Amino acid sequence: MADSHPAFEEYCEAIFELEEDDLDVIQARIADRLHVSRPAVSEMVRRMAGEGLVTLDGGIHLTAAGARLAERVVRRHRLAERFLTDILGLSWAEAHTEAGRWEHVLSDPVEAAMNRLLGDPTTCPHGNPIPGSAYTTPDTVVLSCVAVGTSFVVTRIPEELEFTPGLLEFLEEAALLPGTRGEVTATSPEGVVTVCIDDRHIGIGSFASDRILVLAEADAEAVAV
Ligand SMILES: [Zn+2]
């Protein structure tokens, strides 16, 4: 029953992704993420606890069953994003929104076929790990920790940023995509990090620069920007 309930899937996914981004899972955050009222969240998490998907002692936590459901939905979301960008050529932002629908309707055979076609990808186009793939966590730091004059390679735009209105469009326009090389050229006291990518200088506000994960290059000279 719980397996085929889109609302349960949405909630399990949201809780999984908040935990993934190291955010405390509280009702207000779920309400923000899903654009629903706090009373609605309170009612739904109570129902989910009844279904054995979450526990509510000392915060909201997925049970093993809740985590399984979340991983299935997150896996389909991230595979669908890959398919929508790599095969169909949609923009990042379009893919994120569209995948929010596909994640609930993909069947096991379609998911498996998509995975085969894409060659067992380990991340979504934004660099977030696909559950059940061979992903290994790289040794990353947040962009705001990279010293001026240091080169970096973007590895991951956390899910929290995917949900920030307009941000994916901005990052895509700025070419701040996983795999992109750049260099930090300045930082401001307000936390704005200026990066140079392909001879363009782009200011990244603190909300994003405190969250975007990069591999910093020890030797800036070694990287051809
Ligand atoms: Zn993504």
Side-chain angles (χ1 to χ4, degrees), residues 12-183:
C12 284
E13 178 185 34
I15 295 165
F16 177 93
E17 288 175 348
L18 291 169
E19 285 182 345
E20 187 177 42
D21 288 345
D22 282 328
L23 297 165
D24 286 332
V25 182
I26 53 171
Q27 293 193 2
R29 284 219 172 91
I30 299 175
D32 275 358
R33 179 64 63 93
L34 297 177
H35 304 293
V36 294
S37 70
R38 290 199 201 179
V41 173
S42 151
E43 159 70 14
M44 183 58 90
V45 294
R46 204 181 46 73
R47 284 180 57 196
M48 289 170 70
E51 295 281 341
L53 296 172
V54 294
T55 56
L56 303 177
D57 327 309
I60 301 164
H61 298 286
L62 292 171
T63 61
R68 266 199 309 278
L69 181 57
E71 283 171 16
R72 198 183 72 179
V73 178
V74 171
R75 175 174 168 80
R76 290 177 178 178
H77 180 99
R78 294 179 182 171
L79 272 176
E81 282 186 331
R82 271 248 99 96
F83 183 82
L84 291 160
T85 54
D86 296 8
I87 309 290
L88 300 187
L90 261 60
S91 77
W92 267 21
E94 287 170 326
H96 177 69
T97 308
E98 200 67 37
R101 293 194 276 272
W102 287 35
E103 68 193 18
H104 303 295
V105 298
L106 294 186
S107 65
D108 288 344
V110 171
E111 179 197 310
M114 215 178 241
N115 188 55
R116 254 194 323 275
L117 176 69
L118 293 165
D120 291 314
T122 56
T123 69
C124 80
H126 315 101
N128 290 307
I130 295 175
S133 74
Y135 180 80
T136 51
T137 311
D139 198 8
T140 53
V141 292
V142 294
L143 179 60
S144 57
C145 287
V146 177
V148 172
T150 305
S151 295
F152 62 84
V153 178
V154 179
T155 58
R156 183 168 175 183
I157 313 296
E159 205 67 42
E160 192 182 5
L161 297 181
E162 293 197 35
F163 281 92
T164 305
L167 199 77
L168 284 184
E169 289 88 339
F170 168 75
L171 295 175
E172 191 168 30
E173 216 284 306
L176 216 84
L177 319 169
T180 296
R181 287 170 187 274
E183 183 185 331

Side-chain angles (χ1 to χ4, degrees), residues 184-222:
V184 173
T185 54
T187 54
S188 81
E190 297 76 35
V192 176
V193 177
T194 303
V195 299
C196 180
I197 294 171
D198 286 337
D199 293 330
R200 280 174 75 201
H201 290 263
I202 303 136
I204 314 287
S206 62
F207 183 78
S209 66
D210 284 343
R211 289 169 177 77
I212 292 171
L213 293 168
V214 302
L215 279 171
E217 307 276 330
D219 180 5
E221 298 297 307

